[in-house]
Amino acid sequence: MACRVLIVDDSMLVRRQVSAALSTAGYEVVEAVDGLDASQKVTTDLALIVSDLNMPKMNGIELLELIRKDSRNASIPFVMLTTEMKPAVFERAKELGAKAWLLKPFKADLFLAAISKLAKAA
Protein backbone atom coordinates (compact mmCIF):
# COMPACT_ATOMS: atom_id res chain seq x y z
CA MET A 1 0.00 0.00 0.00
CA ALA A 2 1.31 3.43 -0.96
CA CYS A 3 2.07 6.04 1.68
CA ARG A 4 -0.69 8.67 1.86
CA VAL A 5 0.40 12.31 1.82
CA LEU A 6 -1.90 15.29 2.44
CA ILE A 7 -1.04 18.38 0.37
CA VAL A 8 -2.48 21.64 1.66
CA ASP A 9 -2.19 24.74 -0.53
CA ASP A 10 -4.64 27.35 -1.78
CA SER A 11 -2.84 27.43 -5.14
CA MET A 12 -4.16 24.80 -7.55
CA LEU A 13 -0.93 25.06 -9.54
CA VAL A 14 1.22 24.27 -6.51
CA ARG A 15 -1.06 21.38 -5.49
CA ARG A 16 -0.76 19.97 -9.03
CA GLN A 17 3.06 20.30 -9.01
CA VAL A 18 3.43 18.67 -5.60
CA SER A 19 0.87 15.99 -6.44
CA ALA A 20 2.61 15.16 -9.72
CA ALA A 21 6.00 14.82 -8.00
CA LEU A 22 4.59 12.63 -5.23
CA SER A 23 2.41 10.48 -7.51
CA THR A 24 5.36 9.80 -9.81
CA ALA A 25 7.31 8.60 -6.77
CA GLY A 26 4.50 6.21 -5.80
CA TYR A 27 2.77 8.19 -3.05
CA GLU A 28 -1.02 8.35 -2.75
CA VAL A 29 -2.03 12.02 -2.63
CA VAL A 30 -4.91 13.70 -0.83
CA GLU A 31 -5.42 17.41 -1.57
CA ALA A 32 -6.86 20.23 0.53
CA VAL A 33 -7.42 23.86 -0.53
CA ASP A 34 -6.72 25.42 2.90
CA GLY A 35 -6.15 24.52 6.53
CA LEU A 36 -9.85 24.21 7.30
CA ASP A 37 -10.36 21.78 4.41
CA ALA A 38 -7.25 19.87 5.53
CA SER A 39 -8.46 19.64 9.13
CA GLN A 40 -11.39 17.58 7.83
CA LYS A 41 -9.11 15.29 5.79
CA VAL A 42 -6.51 14.44 8.43
CA THR A 43 -6.56 10.73 9.21
CA THR A 44 -4.27 8.57 11.31
CA ASP A 45 -3.03 6.68 8.24
CA LEU A 46 -1.30 9.73 6.71
CA ALA A 47 2.44 9.30 6.25
CA LEU A 48 3.03 13.05 5.97
CA ILE A 49 1.37 16.46 5.64
CA VAL A 50 2.83 19.10 3.31
CA SER A 51 1.30 22.51 3.92
CA ASP A 52 1.57 26.05 2.67
CA LEU A 53 1.87 28.76 5.32
CA ASN A 54 -0.34 31.57 4.01
CA MET A 55 -3.87 30.41 3.18
CA PRO A 56 -7.39 31.72 3.73
CA LYS A 57 -9.70 30.35 6.46
CA MET A 58 -6.87 28.59 8.37
CA ASN A 59 -3.15 29.06 7.76
CA GLY A 60 -0.42 26.44 8.02
CA ILE A 61 0.56 27.30 11.61
CA GLU A 62 -3.06 27.15 12.76
CA LEU A 63 -3.43 23.78 11.04
CA LEU A 64 -0.27 22.48 12.67
CA GLU A 65 -1.49 23.66 16.10
CA LEU A 66 -4.81 21.90 15.57
CA ILE A 67 -3.20 18.64 14.44
CA ARG A 68 -0.77 18.60 17.38
CA LYS A 69 -3.68 18.97 19.86
CA ASP A 70 -5.13 15.63 18.76
CA SER A 71 -3.01 12.81 20.21
CA ARG A 72 -4.13 10.46 17.41
CA ASN A 73 -2.51 12.71 14.78
CA ALA A 74 0.26 14.35 16.80
CA SER A 75 2.98 12.11 15.36
CA ILE A 76 2.21 12.72 11.67
CA PRO A 77 5.28 14.43 10.17
CA PHE A 78 4.43 17.98 9.06
CA VAL A 79 6.36 19.92 6.38
CA MET A 80 5.90 23.60 5.57
CA LEU A 81 6.24 24.39 1.85
CA THR A 82 6.17 28.16 1.50
CA THR A 83 7.73 31.27 -0.04
CA GLU A 84 8.19 32.84 3.42
CA MET A 85 11.20 32.81 5.69
CA LYS A 86 10.12 34.88 8.69
CA PRO A 87 12.26 33.75 11.65
CA ALA A 88 9.46 34.09 14.23
CA VAL A 89 7.05 31.99 12.16
CA PHE A 90 9.78 29.45 11.41
CA GLU A 91 10.52 29.15 15.14
CA ARG A 92 6.82 28.71 15.98
CA ALA A 93 6.53 25.93 13.41
CA LYS A 94 9.60 24.26 14.91
CA GLU A 95 8.14 24.55 18.43
CA LEU A 96 4.99 22.84 17.20
CA GLY A 97 7.01 20.00 15.72
CA ALA A 98 7.27 20.82 12.02
CA LYS A 99 9.91 18.48 10.60
CA ALA A 100 11.02 20.65 7.68
CA TRP A 101 10.63 24.09 6.12
CA LEU A 102 10.94 23.90 2.33
CA LEU A 103 10.91 26.92 0.05
CA LYS A 104 8.89 27.41 -3.14
CA PRO A 105 9.57 27.06 -5.94
CA PHE A 106 10.95 23.60 -5.24
CA LYS A 107 13.04 21.20 -7.28
CA ALA A 108 11.18 17.90 -7.53
CA ASP A 109 14.22 15.69 -6.89
CA LEU A 110 15.27 17.58 -3.74
CA PHE A 111 11.67 17.77 -2.55
CA LEU A 112 11.20 14.00 -2.98
CA ALA A 113 14.49 13.26 -1.21
CA ALA A 114 13.30 15.24 1.82
CA ILE A 115 9.83 13.69 1.73
CA SER A 116 11.15 10.12 1.53
CA LYS A 117 13.21 10.70 4.69
CA LEU A 118 10.27 12.14 6.59
CA ALA A 119 7.30 10.03 5.51
CA LYS A 120 6.44 7.50 8.19
CA ALA A 121 5.32 4.02 7.24
CA ALA A 122 1.54 4.09 6.92
Side-chain angles (χ1 to χ4, degrees):
M1 183 172 145
C3 289
R4 294 181 75 229
V5 177
L6 176 60
I7 302 166
V8 189
D9 202 301
D10 56 321
S11 166
M12 184 185 295
L13 177 61
V14 171
R15 286 194 318 272
R16 282 185 180 162
Q17 290 172 333
V18 174
S19 180
L22 290 171
S23 295
T24 300
Y27 292 92
E28 180 184 336
V29 176
V30 178
E31 294 185 21
V33 298
D34 57 43
L36 186 60
D37 184 27
S39 71
Q40 298 165 3
K41 294 179 178 178
V42 173
T43 57
T44 56
D45 67 338
L46 288 173
L48 186 79
I49 297 170
V50 179
S51 178
D52 187 15
L53 176 61
N54 296 310
M55 298 176 288
K57 297 183 185 172
M58 182 186 292
N59 68 36
I61 293 291
E62 293 165 335
L63 174 62
L64 180 54
E65 287 174 338
L66 182 70
I67 289 168
R68 292 300 181 238
K69 285 179 186 174
D70 185 338
S71 61
R72 295 170 298 174
N73 302 321
S75 66
I76 299 170
F78 195 100
V79 174
M80 286 288 186
L81 179 63
T82 182
T83 58
E84 295 230 8
M85 196 54 213
K86 292 181 181 170
V89 179
F90 174 79
E91 285 304 316
R92 180 65 183 140
K94 241 172 85 174
E95 287 170 11
L96 291 167
K99 298 295 183 193
W101 189 279
L102 305 175
L103 293 176
K104 297 177 200 173
F106 65 92
K107 292 188 177 190
D109 57 339
L110 299 176
F111 172 76
L112 289 172
I115 296 306
S116 69
K117 289 179 184 175
L118 295 169
K120 68 174 186 163

